[in-house]
Amino acid sequence: MSIKTAEVVTIGDEILIGQITDTNTQFIATELNKLGVKVLRKQTIGDSKAAIVNMLKDSLANADLVITTGGLGPTKDDITKHTINEFFGSELVLHQPTLDTVTAFFAKRGKEVSEANRLQAMVPQCCEVILNEHGTAPCMWFEHNGKFLVCMPGVPFEMKNLMTGGVQSKIKQHLDIQEIYHKTILTVGVGESVLAEMISDWEDSLPEYIKLAYLPSFGSVKLRLSAYGSNYEYLKYETDALFVAIAPVIEKYIISETTEKLEVALGDLLNAHHLSLATAESCTGGALSAAIVSVAGSSQYFKGSVVAYQNEIKKNILGVHEDTLLRFGAVSEQCVIEMAAGAVKVLQSDLAVAISGIAGPTGGSEEKPVGTIWMACSDGQHTLTKKIVGINIREVNISYATTQSMYLVFEFVKMYAFKEC
Amino acid sequence: MSIKTAEVVTIGDEILIGQITDTNTQFIATELNKLGVKVLRKQTIGDSKAAIVNMLKDSLANADLVITTGGLGPTKDDITKHTINEFFGSELVLHQPTLDTVTAFFAKRGKEVSEANRLQAMVPQCCEVILNEHGTAPCMWFEHNGKFLVCMPGVPFEMKNLMTGGVQSKIKQHLDIQEIYHKTILTVGVGESVLAEMISDWEDSLPEYIKLAYLPSFGSVKLRLSAYGSNYEYLKYETDALFVAIAPVIEKYIISETTEKLEVALGDLLNAHHLSLATAESCTGGALSAAIVSVAGSSQYFKGSVVAYQNEIKKNILGVHEDTLLRFGAVSEQCVIEMAAGAVKVLQSDLAVAISGIAGPTGGSEEKPVGTIWMACSDGQHTLTKKIVGINIREVNISYATTQSMYLVFEFVKMYAFKEC
């Protein structure tokens, strides 16, 4: 049978009580999507036999492929393997290649294989093992009544290597020819509902096989068209043409038509104009710099950052005037102007962005409540400033400032009409 | 009927195709847990009528409380409200206080209410509205055959305010007296399986009502005991006593018994020793600094950071010798030693941590493969260095280096026996 639909399941009490963020299912869903497999549902269930059995029955009935992660660790809270073994009426046997890999894995680190790790090399006889080269838990592939079940370990980089390697290869053997094409536009400066009204007629005229989604976050909205059909080139042609038709209507809000990630779009912008960038950060504490560096190849355009969390660093390294801090305070337009100018100088960049604000939860005042954040972009001659007011949650304010300061660079480049090279 | 169990559901195609990370369910699960409500399952389903109806039937049969987020936006891909309205056989009516809030919300920003936003103020007659003060979508509370359904908007900060405000108050009205107590220990330097063998006898002797979980990540393992019962003080007393019994066995691996977050534990360590910290980062690009600053109150002990993404910054600001870069390269023990010493000086801190490595995916060599990362901790006199070797995935190497560099500070403080003040 061919694989058209999937369910993705995470197994682990630690996720149900909110102890860790599950990023595995997002990765798996993205990979399945690229293969044209439609994800019908994602689930997280606990380390309980009843929950696992219920999930197996329900999910295998609902979708062609069920992918689980987690619950394969060496410790006693992990019962997935035994439950699945029982569910299929199989028995556990030693998988020698897994034991060899595990033994080599520990030998390389000068350690012996523990009894718990040895037990991890036992697998249900009815499964096919996909070798996990980065950890001790084997990946298992089951076929049952024309349906497929894959069980992967929950450690993210082990899972990622399996998902883009052996698991992907196995899935590809069972795929239909159905194709899928996504096209996303990144917009900024317009709300979801206003955008929806602007393109309402166009949206109503979309053909049945093309679906539009709005994905809003922190002042930006992504518009995504997804086309489903049998001919990839046709889907791509039709979808791209639909975007060409609507682009002029929303042109001034479009940041990128080629990437969905703001930090990648920023890199593209800087590369296109042959500009280098630096940052001077106070309340974001390096979050902007880290976002820029998360992009591979950012050394092409990124110089570095001064995280001036204390005023003495703002003065000593960035050259902010003592007088500015006394008269206006660290969270002021004047301070970020001097921080940005100082960063251009000391980090020897074409442009610099500076951020100073009150992330919270404490430190606010009547005049400058928590969430008050000033930012400036400078090339040493011109400066563009912006003030935003966030909320009372530290992490939200840091994210918000990080995102908004990247937009400020787009505005600065547009305003001062740097020529595209 | 009282609320003992819950299911948490996210509605949205954008999550199923992996476009965004769902952090809402983690937050909700944590909050429910604090209230002693056991989360049985988390799910993400698509913006489809059939999927929503199936979920409502299944989840309301399984748990006492079902909490949904998402699918309440003003755009056409959001059909949650209409489906729920039909499911309960109700009809949509205008909720005037919501329309008033929305009108005020837009007026404050100098905008008019759009038709799409006006429609958002329509709610099923059978629900009770919990006012959403931070957005345009109302929060709806339903009671049906002794079960409860809450529908919240998916925008994280709107959801968080509702969840810790009006929704929590409503849930509390329907709670049993059942109590829950969690205690977590953060360990480092020991693998999950070795740890499991060390405490095996103790684990086997745990009473029925106390459950142990192992939560591993990047070289650390959290051990969490969860106790369920009717008397909170008794549960706390029993659980804490169990930890006192096992602590000596694993003492040298324990980083913290009071927090689960490494960056918080680091802050506690620095405060306890009255030490200030600074960072000098290359390949992590500010991720370490951002992690430290993510903790409220970090200005007590954190000075700032120099993100020296280019060699000229390592030289000009941190004082790394030209000769060092030429002879050993930027990714070398000698370079991080000089970066750390330079950071202590220029950022005027008691301690500094420096990191330089090859995050990847390119830039590696035979001698220094991608993932090679050097780090140093210095107080200007003594220095402790460490080399780690990650994998071929940029984000993993950055996270790994961030975590390991924090451990290095713990080791440094222990090794040079700074007196606890």
Side-chain angles (χ1 to χ4, degrees), chain A residues 349-370:
Chain A
S349 60
D350 298 320
L351 307 181
V353 195
I355 307 171
S356 185
I358 302 152
T362 60
S365 65
E366 182 88 22
E367 192 201 351
K368 294 177 186 173
V370 167

Side-chain angles (χ1 to χ4, degrees), chain A residues 194, chain B residues 102-114:
Chain A
V194 174
Chain B
V102 172
T103 308
F105 182 89
F106 280 99
K108 223 168 131 184
R109 286 155 182 79
K111 292 180 182 170
E112 299 235 324
V113 175
S114 70

Side-chain angles (χ1 to χ4, degrees), chain A residues 61-220:
Chain A
N62 190 38
D64 304 325
L65 167 70
V66 177
I67 297 185
T68 73
T69 67
L72 301 178
T75 51
K76 299 175 189 186
D77 56 349
D78 295 330
I79 56 159
T80 308
K81 192 164 67 183
H82 292 273
T83 304
I84 292 173
N85 184 53
E86 221 175 288
F87 182 81
F88 287 126
S90 186
E91 56 180 309
L92 294 177
V93 294
L94 177 70
H95 186 249
Q96 192 62 45
T98 293
L99 185 57
D100 294 345
T101 308
V102 172
T103 307
F105 182 89
F106 281 101
K108 223 169 130 183
R109 286 154 179 80
K111 291 180 183 171
E112 298 235 327
V113 175
S114 70
E115 182 55 25
N117 288 130
R118 198 181 301 274
L119 287 174
Q120 285 191 286
M122 302 291 287
V123 299
Q125 193 158 27
C126 66
C127 84
E128 182 179 330
V129 172
I130 299 172
L131 209 64
N132 174 9
E133 288 164 9
H134 299 276
T136 57
C139 171
M140 298 170 289
W141 174 276
F142 300 87
E143 302 197 16
H144 181 70
N145 296 338
K147 300 293 184 87
F148 303 91
L149 169 70
V150 196
C151 304
M152 291 191 282
V155 181
F157 77 84
E158 295 180 27
M159 177 282 296
K160 285 181 183 177
N161 273 287
L162 287 162
M163 189 64 209
T164 54
V167 172
Q168 191 186 82
S169 305
K170 287 292 292 179
I171 294 173
K172 277 186 174 166
Q173 292 168 19
H174 300 278
L175 285 184
D176 237 13
I177 49 155
Q178 178 124 11
E179 299 283 357
I180 188 165
Y181 176 71
H182 297 296
K183 167 95 182 164
T184 307
I185 281 187
L186 185 59
T187 72
V188 64
V190 58
E192 184 185 3
S193 53
V194 174
L195 198 61
E197 281 185 8
M198 289 176 73
I199 62 174
S200 174
D201 290 345
W202 174 80
E203 182 175 355
D204 288 337
S205 74
L206 292 177
E208 185 71 20
Y209 62 91
I210 296 184
K211 222 180 154 184
L212 177 69
Y214 296 80
L215 311 165
S217 72
F218 291 129
S220 82

Side-chain angles (χ1 to χ4, degrees), chain A residues 13-14 19 21 26 42 44 204 211 215 224 260 285 289 293 299 302-303 305 307 310 312 394, chain B residues 13-14 19 21 26 42 44 76 211 215 224 260 285 289 293 299 302-303 305 307 310 312 394:
Chain A
D13 288 338
E14 67 276 19
Q19 188 111 15
T21 309
Q26 181 182 16
K42 300 196 320 185
T44 304
D204 288 337
K211 222 180 154 184
L215 311 165
R224 193 194 55 237
E260 301 163 15
S289 176
V293 169
S299 58
F302 188 60
K303 292 277 192 166
S305 176
V307 178
Q310 303 289 347
E312 66 213 60
R394 187 175 183 84
Chain B
D13 288 337
E14 68 277 18
Q19 189 110 16
T21 308
Q26 180 183 16
K42 300 197 320 187
T44 304
K76 298 174 188 185
K211 223 180 153 185
L215 311 165
R224 193 194 56 239
E260 301 164 14
S289 176
V293 169
S299 59
F302 187 60
K303 291 278 190 164
S305 176
V307 178
Q310 304 289 347
E312 66 213 62
R394 188 174 181 85

